[in-house]
Each structure stands twice: as C-alpha cells, then as structure tokens.
Amino acid sequence: MSATLVEQLETGLDAPICLTWELTYACNLACVHCLSSSGRRDPRELTTEECQGVIDELERMQVFYVNIGGGEPTVRRDFWELVEYAVAHRVGVKFSTNGSRISAERAQWLAGCDYVDVQVSLDGATSEVNDAVRGPGSYSTAITAMENLAGAGFAGFKLSVVVTRENVSQLDEFKRLADGFGAQLRLTRLRPSGRGADVWGELHPTAAQQRELYEWLLAHGENVLTGDSFFHLGGYGAALPGLNLCGAGRVVCLIDPIGDVYACPFVIHDEFRAGNVREPGGFARVWRESALFGDLRRPQHAGACASCGLFDKCRGGCMAAKFFTGLPLDGPDPECVLGHGERLLAARGDDPIPRPSVDMSKRRPRRRPARACDENPLTVIPA
C-alpha cells in the first residue's frame, strides 16, 4: 500500500469503505469469545422501516457494501427482506452466520442473488476444537450450511475463523476445508472484546504461535482474507496483505442493533460511541461530523512506541486489543512482537480494565459442556 494511500485513509473518507452492522443481539449460540456479548434481543432494535432508512442513506453515500452480523442476523424475521431491500438499492451485503438457517432451499436463493456474500463461522477444523468454543453441535451445523452453499453452486463464500491458541495449528486443515467447498478462507484476530475479554488470556495465541501464524500468512496470504486483523504482526518483517492500519472511524465503523454508531466493531464502549442513526442527520451526519471521528482522523502520535523502529510496520497495533486489556491507546499492542505489550500487562497487575457497555448474554458461557447431555444451543428457527 503506497504512503499516499495510507495518508488518505488515515484522514478519513467521505463514506466508510465497509460498514459493520449488527442487526440484532439475539443469538441461538453462546460463543465464549463473542465480541458483542450476544444472546438476548434488545427490545429497542431498529424497526424494519428504520433499517430501510439506513440503507437509503448508505445508497446516497455510495457505500460499497455492508458487513452484517450480530448476534445471529438470520434470526431477525425481516432479515431476508432487508437483504433484498439492500441489494435492490445497490448496497452489497456480506453477512456472517453460524449456518443454522442456511437450508438447501435458502442456499439456492442466495446463489441466485447478486451482490450478496456469506461468511460461515467455524472456529475449529474438528468438532472437538470448534464446539468447545461455539457450543455442541455447532461444527456439524456449519458444515451442513457449507455443503448446502456448495451444492447450490454458491462459489467463493467465506469460511470465517477466529484464530485462537487451540486452532492455530489447524490452519492447513482450515484451508483444505475451504478449498474443498470452493470457499475462501477468512482469518480474523481474537480480540478481548465482549465475552472475549473473559477468555482472551487463555485463548489468544502464544508468542510462538503468533510467529507461526505470521509465517503461514506470508506463505498463503494472497489467497486468504484477513482485513485489518494482523497488521500488528508486521513488526516481524514484511507487511502482510490487507489494510495495515487501524481503520476505526476512518474507513470503518459499527452500527449496533439500536442504532448507536461506534468507531470500531470491536470497541462497544461509551468512550467510542459517536452518535445514533435515529438522531437528526442520521448516519451520514455521525460519520461526517462526529467529534470522536474527527479526533481519530487527525495525525496519531506514536506515543510510547515513538522510539521503536518498527512503528511504521505495526502502527502500534489494535485499538480494541489495547483498550480492553487496560493498555494506553498510544502504547504497544498487548501482542507486540517485541514483547513490550506483555511486559506492560505484567506491570499493571490486577488493576481494573474497561468492560463493554453492552452485555446481552443469556448466561455465562462455559468453555466445555458439563455433561454429554447438555442441551444443544442450535435451535433452528423455521425460515
């Protein structure tokens, strides 16, 4: 990426390149690392008409596509209606799903849609690894969804994986699995956001695994999507493919189910709330006039990292990872490849850390079921 383009992105664009929109906090899973602490529906959710109004704004702003998540977005009764509305208004849709409502019939419908992409979440190349994080039965459900998509001729859908300490050794298996379905592998970083804050210490990759991941991405990165997940690993040497800077408030942001707009999809906290789409001027005004976004678009000082010769490669790392581990935003990433973040974490001890402003969890999730007969959380709602 050229220096000129980086400078342009850092100062913000007239409209986000990619808008993340969590349509609902309702979910039929209870993943231990859920970045939005989803589970229950918020009764204040945007209505169908309000959602359509946001889509109208995105069309006027010429937003290329919207990345829809949740929660499990397909449990909203108007989800497919909203997808159709967005596509009809020239706003592409990429939605993330656990696959529980991707039936063979729905897969056929999706395969016939223009400007729609699907990301099926799977966090283990085996059921043992995946289901320990996402819940019993979730591996089988995701595989069935991908079989349905492949069977319908939906080429190039995404297999989306959050890289953890327990699955980083399965990267080759994930790639083979994606290739076998004619899908594209998408890897994202585990961040200490939402319920992920409670398991980050035990699930985030070790320093040795971070290096292993970096080497794997160097070898396969041109054929694997990463977004801006791993630019902090640039400190090892060469920059990885993708957006090698934090795009929060510059090129990306989040709309949550009740219309609140946050600078980053991974920092659902009042400190990073920029406004609400229900306010006068709607989303466009928040994006273009928010004081918070204005601050983020100004030149950022390297802070404690200023003396490090690797700053231009890692850009200080991820804002969310720093914020929710209690590290200063102008300091090193907690997974800094030189170990600076790890040392700061050790020095801060047991001091309180920020907690997300929203928690819609149904219950505190367990890493593993207590009994083999624990209820399967994948209650499929008829399409």
Side-chain angles (χ1 to χ4, degrees), residues 331-355:
D333 189 286
E335 294 179 318
C336 167
V337 301
L338 298 181
H340 296 318
E342 188 176 355
R343 286 188 284 274
L344 279 180
L345 287 175
R348 69 180 309 280
D350 296 327
D351 292 343
I353 60 175
R355 297 294 300 176

Side-chain angles (χ1 to χ4, degrees), residues 347-370:
R348 69 180 309 280
D350 296 327
D351 292 343
I353 60 175
R355 297 294 300 176
S357 297
V358 176
D359 189 346
M360 301 301 291
S361 303
K362 294 177 182 176
R363 57 180 172 79
R364 184 175 180 83
R366 297 185 297 267
R367 286 290 313 281
R368 299 181 188 278

Side-chain angles (χ1 to χ4, degrees), residues 185-339:
L185 180 61
R186 177 179 181 265
L187 301 180
T188 59
R189 181 181 180 182
L190 175 69
R191 291 173 170 90
S193 306
R195 288 196 294 267
D198 297 326
V199 297
W200 187 80
E202 61 181 294
L203 280 185
H204 81 95
T206 65
Q209 288 175 328
Q210 295 277 2
R211 185 63 191 240
E212 177 186 346
L213 171 62
Y214 171 75
E215 299 291 348
W216 193 91
L217 287 173
L218 280 183
H220 300 88
E222 294 295 338
N223 299 309
V224 176
L225 297 176
T226 59
D228 62 354
S229 283
F230 303 109
F231 63 92
H232 68 292
L233 298 181
Y236 282 127
L240 296 169
L243 180 63
N244 285 294
L245 59 87
C246 174
R250 301 180 179 103
V251 296
V252 300
C253 69
L254 167 79
I255 300 177
D256 83 350
I258 64 172
D260 281 337
V261 181
Y262 294 90
C264 171
F266 308 107
V267 191
I268 302 176
H269 189 278
D270 288 342
E271 190 169 329
F272 297 92
R273 180 185 175 278
N276 189 285
V277 301
R278 286 169 164 152
E279 296 167 356
F283 173 73
R285 183 179 180 187
V286 176
W287 178 258
R288 293 168 178 162
E289 300 181 20
S290 160
L292 170 64
F293 287 178
D295 288 342
L296 290 171
R297 291 164 188 168
R298 295 188 183 98
Q300 303 296 303
H301 190 269
C305 296
S307 61
C308 179
L310 299 179
F311 177 77
D312 286 341
K313 294 185 176 180
C314 79
R315 314 295 297 181
C318 173
M319 180 175 74
K322 289 186 277 191
F323 184 74
F324 283 126
T325 53
L327 296 183
L329 297 185
D330 63 352
D333 189 286
E335 294 179 318
C336 167
V337 301
L338 298 181

Side-chain angles (χ1 to χ4, degrees), residues 15-16 18-23 44-68 76 78 82 85-87 89-93 253-261 275-279 281-288:
C18 174
L19 170 72
T20 297
W21 189 356
E22 293 179 350
L23 282 179
R44 300 169 295 167
E45 276 181 8
L46 297 176
T47 65
T48 302
E49 292 73 20
E50 287 175 318
C51 289
Q52 290 172 341
V54 172
I55 293 169
D56 292 340
E57 276 197 271
L58 301 182
E59 180 185 15
R60 290 192 294 270
M61 295 174 71
Q62 297 183 314
V63 171
F64 181 62
Y65 76 93
V66 58
N67 190 3
I68 293 179
R76 267 193 68 135
D78 60 358
L82 290 173
Y85 189 88
V87 171
H89 287 75
R90 296 180 291 279
V91 177
V93 172
C253 69
L254 167 79
I255 300 177
D256 83 350
I258 64 172
D260 281 337
V261 181
N276 189 285
V277 301
R278 286 169 164 152
E279 296 167 356
F283 173 73
R285 183 179 180 187
V286 176
W287 178 258
R288 293 168 178 162

Side-chain angles (χ1 to χ4, degrees), residues 35-211:
L35 65 90
S36 59
S37 299
S38 293
R40 293 175 288 111
R41 174 185 175 272
D42 192 311
R44 300 169 295 167
E45 276 181 8
L46 297 176
T47 65
T48 302
E49 292 73 20
E50 287 175 318
C51 289
Q52 290 172 341
V54 172
I55 293 169
D56 292 340
E57 276 197 271
L58 301 182
E59 180 185 15
R60 290 192 294 270
M61 295 174 71
Q62 297 183 314
V63 171
F64 181 62
Y65 76 93
V66 58
N67 190 3
I68 293 179
E72 170 55 39
T74 63
V75 303
R76 267 193 68 135
R77 296 187 182 278
D78 60 358
F79 174 72
W80 305 113
E81 176 186 349
L82 290 173
V83 171
E84 289 182 315
Y85 189 88
V87 171
H89 287 75
R90 296 180 291 279
V91 177
V93 172
K94 178 184 295 183
F95 70 92
S96 299
T97 177
N98 57 41
S100 57
R101 299 189 72 185
I102 308 298
S103 63
E105 293 76 19
R106 182 57 67 182
Q108 288 285 350
W109 183 85
L110 287 165
C113 291
D114 291 329
Y115 308 114
V116 176
D117 197 8
V118 183
Q119 296 180 162
V120 180
S121 297
L122 193 72
D123 293 326
T126 59
S127 58
E128 179 182 13
V129 173
N130 177 84
D131 291 6
V133 173
R134 300 187 62 82
S138 56
Y139 178 87
S140 175
T141 297
I143 293 295
T144 298
M146 291 191 287
E147 289 174 344
N148 289 338
L149 289 167
F154 194 127
F157 68 88
K158 310 300 182 286
L159 167 56
S160 185
V161 177
V162 177
V163 179
T164 69
R165 187 173 302 181
E166 296 181 359
N167 68 21
V168 70
S169 63
Q170 298 183 321
L171 294 176
D172 287 335
E173 288 90 336
F174 281 124
K175 186 67 169 60
R176 283 194 290 270
L177 191 61
D179 291 346
F181 285 118
Q184 187 171 19
L185 180 61
R186 177 179 181 265
L187 301 180
T188 59
R189 181 181 180 182
L190 175 69
R191 291 173 170 90
S193 306
R195 288 196 294 267
D198 297 326
V199 297
W200 187 80
E202 61 181 294
L203 280 185
H204 81 95
T206 65
Q209 288 175 328
Q210 295 277 2
R211 185 63 191 240

